[in-house]
Amino acid sequence: MSYDAESIEKLTAMYESQSPNAFIAFSMEGLPYDSEHAERFDKDADEDHSELTGCDWCCCSDKGYCNSWGWHLCCIGSIVVLIACCCYATNGFFGAWPYWPF
Amino acid sequence: MKPFITIVIKPTLFCNIDCKHCYHTPEDRVKGEISLDRVEKLISMASKEYETAWFIWHGGEPMTLPMSFYKEVIALEEKYFGKNSMRYGNTINTNGTLLNRRFMAYCREKKINIGVSYEGPCSQILREADVEKTLRTLSAKENMYTVGATISKETASRQKEIYQYFRDKDISVALTPVIPAGCGGPYVPDKDEFVKGSIEAFDQWLYDRTARVPLMPFYQYIMNYLGEPVPSDCAHTSCLTKWICMYPDGSLYPCAKACPDRFRMCNIDDISSIDEAFKTEGFRNILVGSIERRDKCASCSIFRYCNGGCSVDAFYENGLENNGGASCESYKAIFGHVSAEIQRILDEKPDMDAYNPFIKEAIVSKLINPKTVSK
């Protein structure tokens, strides 16, 4: 039998009529229910949430690294300044660095 | 409003590992990402035309896009469907190589299911990837995820081994054969070996009293036989009009498998409703061929369970209008075995403690309420 002359609406109705149960069952089923996921999610919700938001800053990439070279430099600069400050406050790390000039 | 649609979005066809059996050709798998405008349009249309929608993020490798893309997408879904409205859900299908803890945490927060393609003990046959560490983290962090193991000619007889491997780790696994599309041709399993391997795996699971995971697609076959078809078993649920797939360039197809150009429905830029896509020449082409094939299937004893099978599989086997290809014959043999076992249990009512908990629960609930069970 050729269906070439049939309208798309009639073809769709024909397709559905070939397997009516599939369409009835489907409309009753609706969205798959994943209670297991909900249960697992609820159990550790607070912990998971803090893990996620703890890294949700503009300087961070999706992988948790620096987002750009600028941020890399900023990070390295901060560490250098921090070490210098510690060195100054401890007068050359309590003498461990004898050449500390200040 | 229509009740439900599954929307597969391929945000890129690029892949970072290029599995040997991919149904997209290397020429298809080039860099290029979908625009958020197109995604927004599809989400917006779905929210107006359907009560519920399930979004599947596929590819290519969807994780080659940054997490910020998915954050924006989820924000769009919340905007159009309503935050925590239960009208939508998401699954991301990935090879797992680019999944990081941060994205896993995001999936937990947004209740995104993860599907990882991985073959466990046979993992180096089709793809160069080892995602053991990723799976361990997913389990430890209690993400909702499943593994899809693709069965090739090399692994057709090792399905039981693959099941046992994941069963020991309490990971739900689906066994799916390679299809002869794109690069898949040389890796398609021998039909008889595939059937034998599938039945071995099913029997192992059937009597596995301590199994804590369902084995797909057999669990779906059982639910189908018991009158509870599962929407995710797309090949056997008369999928046309219930599934739609968007490519990075905005092209819409009726299926996520590699459809030929003649099944391309339209571009999302050219329509103002999803319903319009299902009135195009491309959809008509797959519809007419599918109706013709299903006419031939009507007298088959299992037609009411398989609904004519997968149109795209049929297209790549004996042609869209013809049944009797490897997928058809395999399903007949495997479903025949599965349904015979279930019917025997229903008839004989043996001690259900001999069976795995999923079978036990399904059978017991049907014996209590036998409205749809029939021989």
Side-chain angles (χ1 to χ4, degrees):
Chain A
M1 182 180 172
S2 174
Y3 297 102
D4 292 341
E6 302 292 355
S7 70
I8 192 85
E9 289 79 10
K10 192 165 178 189
L11 286 168
T12 303
M14 210 177 286
Y15 177 80
E16 290 180 6
S17 70
Q18 284 179 319
S19 52
N21 287 340
F23 288 88
I24 294 165
F26 219 78
S27 62
M28 288 167 68
E29 185 103 9
L31 197 65
Y33 180 63
D34 61 345
S35 58
E36 187 182 1
H37 185 283
E39 187 181 304
R40 286 176 167 186
F41 175 70
D42 288 339
K43 201 162 60 177
D44 289 326
D46 292 339
E47 185 189 336
D48 292 346
H49 188 71
S50 60
E51 180 186 340
L52 179 67
T53 51
C55 207
D56 199 12
W57 299 319
C58 62
C59 57
C60 263
S61 73
D62 289 344
K63 292 182 177 176
Y65 303 135
C66 292
N67 208 9
S68 66
W69 277 109
W71 285 114
H72 268 291
L73 288 173
C74 184
C75 195
I76 292 165
S78 301
I79 292 168
V80 169
V81 169
L82 180 69
I83 291 170
C85 288
C86 290
C87 202
Y88 180 78
T90 58
N91 196 18
F93 295 112
F94 304 108
W97 188 17
Y99 305 109
W100 177 246
F102 305 106
Chain B
M1 267 196 182
K2 293 170 191 164
F4 181 71
I5 189 165
T6 300
I7 297 173
V8 184
I9 298 179
K10 301 189 176 193
T12 180
L13 293 184
F14 174 73
C15 181
N16 62 323
I17 61 168
D18 292 326
C19 303
K20 294 172 190 167
H21 65 289
C22 185
Y23 49 59
H24 288 302
T25 62
E27 294 74 38
D28 291 336
R29 298 195 297 263
V30 291
K31 287 194 174 176
E33 296 170 4
I34 201 165
S35 73
L36 269 171
D37 290 343
R38 285 180 170 139
V39 175
E40 180 170 10
K41 186 172 182 184
L42 188 54
I43 292 172
S44 165
M45 291 193 302
S47 70
K48 289 172 192 152
E49 294 173 65
Y50 294 87
E51 287 170 17
T52 54
W54 195 269
F55 293 89
I56 298 175
W57 301 90
H58 206 280
E61 171 49 45
M63 291 304 301
T64 56
L65 274 79
M67 186 171 151
S68 53
F69 172 81
Y70 294 99
K71 281 187 167 179
E72 292 188 64
V73 162
I74 299 296
L76 289 171
E77 290 177 351
E78 290 174 347
K79 175 183 168 188
Y80 288 101
F81 283 94
K83 196 171 183 179
N84 302 321
S85 68
M86 299 298 288
R87 286 185 61 208
Y88 66 94
N90 288 277
T91 296
I92 186 156
N93 278 348
T94 171
N95 58 40
T97 55
L98 301 174
L99 262 181
N100 56 54
R101 294 165 70 96
R102 191 161 148 70
F103 194 83
M104 291 177 199
Y106 185 67
C107 288
R108 288 195 296 277
E109 184 185 321
K110 295 298 178 183
K111 302 185 180 181
I112 299 170
N113 293 333
I114 301 171
V116 181
S117 301
Y118 184 54
E119 286 74 40
C122 312
S123 64
Q124 298 301 312
I125 292 171
L126 293 176
R127 50 188 126 228
E128 301 286 332
D130 182 351
V131 293
E132 283 295 326
K133 193 179 165 194
T134 301
L135 296 187
R136 276 200 299 274
T137 311
L138 284 168
S139 293
K141 290 289 181 181
E142 299 192 328
N143 273 82
M144 184 64 187
Y145 76 102
T146 57
V147 165
T150 308
I151 305 303
S152 64
K153 65 179 181 186
E154 290 88 350
T155 55
S157 58
R158 298 176 66 185
Q159 294 178 69
K160 183 173 152 185
E161 180 188 345
I162 293 172
Y163 160 65
Q164 282 176 323
Y165 180 83
F166 288 110
R167 170 240 183 273
D168 290 344
K169 297 173 185 294
D170 286 340
I171 297 172
S172 175
V173 62
L175 306 171
T176 314
V178 175
I179 63 167
C183 309
Y187 304 98
V188 174
D190 173 76
K191 186 196 76 187
D192 295 331
E193 263 187 58
F194 177 74
V195 169
K196 186 166 173 277
S198 292
I199 289 175
E200 280 175 3
F202 169 75
D203 287 346
Q204 177 75 15
W205 175 68
L206 179 68
Y207 293 104
D208 189 348
R209 288 188 291 177
T210 55
R212 285 188 285 186
V213 289
L215 178 60
M216 303 294 184
F218 310 123
Y219 182 63
Q220 292 168 324
Y221 292 176
I222 291 167
M223 297 311 286
N224 192 4
Y225 186 68
L226 294 174
E228 304 282 351
V230 182
S232 59
D233 183 16
C234 62
H236 307 112
T237 51
S238 295
C239 66
L240 298 183
T241 69
K242 294 188 267 189
W243 286 64
I244 194 166
C245 174
M246 181 161 70
Y247 277 46
D249 66 356
S251 293
L252 294 174
Y253 289 88
C255 172
K257 291 180 183 174
C259 287
D261 276 346
R262 59 182 280 225
F263 297 161
R264 180 182 176 277
M265 300 195 291
C266 56
N267 192 293
I268 191 162
D269 300 341
D270 304 327
I271 55 172
S272 54
S273 71
I274 292 175
D275 193 47
E276 279 180 52
F278 292 126
K279 300 204 182 315
T280 56
E281 197 59 29
F283 187 68
R284 182 191 178 85
N285 288 337
I286 194 168
L287 196 56
V288 168
S290 300
I291 291 171
E292 287 179 16
R293 186 180 75 259
R294 282 152 51 110
D295 275 346
K296 294 172 190 168
C297 294
S299 59
C300 178
S301 61
I302 62 163
F303 175 64
R304 64 182 157 146
Y305 300 111
C306 81
N307 292 307
C310 172
S311 291
V312 175
D313 285 357
F315 173 82
Y316 285 111
E317 292 168 353
N318 289 351
L320 178 63
E321 300 82 4
N322 300 307
N323 49 27
S327 62
C328 168
E329 295 296 323
S330 300
Y331 182 82
K332 259 188 214 172
I334 298 166
F335 185 82
H337 177 81
V338 170
S339 58
E341 285 291 322
I342 298 304
Q343 192 58 53
R344 185 182 58 75
I345 295 171
L346 288 168
D347 292 340
E348 296 176 6
K349 299 181 181 57
D351 177 7
M352 288 307 298
D353 285 339
Y355 300 93
N356 82 52
F358 297 91
I359 304 268
K360 190 175 168 183
E361 188 180 330
I363 298 279
V364 168
S365 66
K366 271 301 156 194
L367 288 174
I368 293 168
N369 181 19
K371 61 183 167 60
T372 51
V373 177
S374 59
K375 287 186 185 179

